[in-house]
Amino acid sequence: MATLRLGDIAPDFTAETSQGTLNFYEYLGDGWGILFSHPADFTPVCTTELGTAAKFKDEFEKRNVKMMALSVDGAASHAEWIKDINETQNTVVNFPIIADEDRKVSDLYDMIHPNADDTLTVRSVFIVGPDKKVKLILTYPASTGRNFYELLRVVDSLQLTAYHKVATPANWESGEKVVVSPAIPTAEAKELFSKGVEEVKPYLRLTPDPTV
């Protein structure tokens, strides 16, 4: 199995989940998706992550993004674990968790890294666009929980840059100035971006967020 790279088509699959049998493409529909894996059920960092993901679900839904988690444990284990997550994190898990006991999805997405662990998945994140292409890949070790504010931030950037000829600078947050695409000449940029173009250097031009 070749490693998935940015721009590749995200592999489709049908799997058992905590919400029944689901097909990935059908679940996403024409929207965006986040697929993220967890090393195992009943583990402390994963418990905090899934609880946090549940609390962020509304924010992702505003952006037309659906979440789907994965663990290599079974559906019955997931059902018991979800009770713990809901209790300890004061939330309700409201998205499906794949029961990937046969490692089918883990192998499709190269989520098992033998140098880290031969059987457990690392903390992978795949953001998939409406065209079913992989837009972002993040990989964390088992010991480091993910930052869901950062996942929201990158979704905002991915969606903005997918529909406008801009890029987002370091530490950018939604609503802040963005970078004009280097491929656009400054004269053309000034016509294209009615809010103005600030030329810091010929190759570094800033403009207000076009969506604000």
Side-chain angles (χ1 to χ4, degrees):
M1 162 69 200
T3 301
L4 273 180
R5 294 178 175 171
L6 298 181
D8 288 350
I9 296 293
D12 192 19
F13 58 83
T14 299
E16 289 301 313
T17 80
S18 57
Q19 296 183 1
T21 303
L22 293 175
N23 174 266
F24 188 49
Y25 279 13
E26 289 177 4
Y27 175 71
L28 296 185
D30 59 1
W32 293 68
I34 293 183
L35 175 64
F36 56 115
S37 58
H38 299 269
D41 292 2
F42 300 103
T43 51
V45 176
C46 301
T47 299
T48 65
E49 286 192 317
L50 286 174
T52 301
K55 292 173 183 176
F56 273 68
K57 183 169 183 275
D58 288 348
E59 286 298 320
F60 283 115
E61 283 187 342
K62 288 178 190 174
R63 295 158 171 83
N64 196 25
V65 180
K66 288 185 175 178
M67 293 185 291
M68 184 177 278
L70 175 146
S71 169
V72 294
D73 294 306
S77 173
H78 287 357
E80 291 303 310
W81 183 31
I82 286 170
K83 294 176 186 176
D84 281 4
I85 298 167
N86 292 345
E87 176 193 343
T88 63
Q89 305 303 304
N90 299 310
T91 190
V92 176
V93 173
N94 42 20
F95 53 87
I97 307 173
I98 299 165
D100 197 36
E101 288 184 287
D102 60 6
R103 314 292 197 269
K104 174 185 163 189
V105 180
S106 300
D107 287 341
L108 271 180
Y109 281 81
D110 195 27
M111 291 172 170
I112 294 175
H113 294 193
N115 288 337
D117 193 290
D118 285 335
T119 57
L120 301 180
T121 49
V122 291
R123 296 187 196 286
S124 299
V125 181
F126 296 89
I127 296 183
V128 179
D131 57 3
K132 303 301 183 285
K133 290 184 178 179
V134 176
K135 305 299 183 183
L136 179 134
I137 301 171
L138 289 169
T139 304
Y140 296 76
S143 55
T144 302
R146 284 163 279 217
N147 184 325
F148 283 81
Y149 290 105
E150 170 63 3
L151 294 183
L152 278 181
R153 191 188 77 87
V154 295
V155 165
D156 285 341
S157 173
L158 289 168
Q159 294 186 341
L160 176 66
T161 58
Y163 306 119
H164 299 274
K165 295 178 180 180
V166 297
T168 56
N171 293 341
W172 175 85
E173 299 281 350
S174 182
E176 295 178 352
K177 289 181 180 179
V178 294
V179 174
V180 176
S181 171
I184 303 173
T186 298
E188 182 183 332
K190 288 178 177 176
E191 292 181 10
L192 186 62
F193 298 105
S194 59
K195 295 175 183 177
V197 174
E198 174 190 349
E199 186 175 277
V200 181
K201 291 285 185 182
Y203 61 86
L204 175 56
R205 288 88 43 84
L206 302 175
T207 189
D209 184 333
T211 64
V212 174

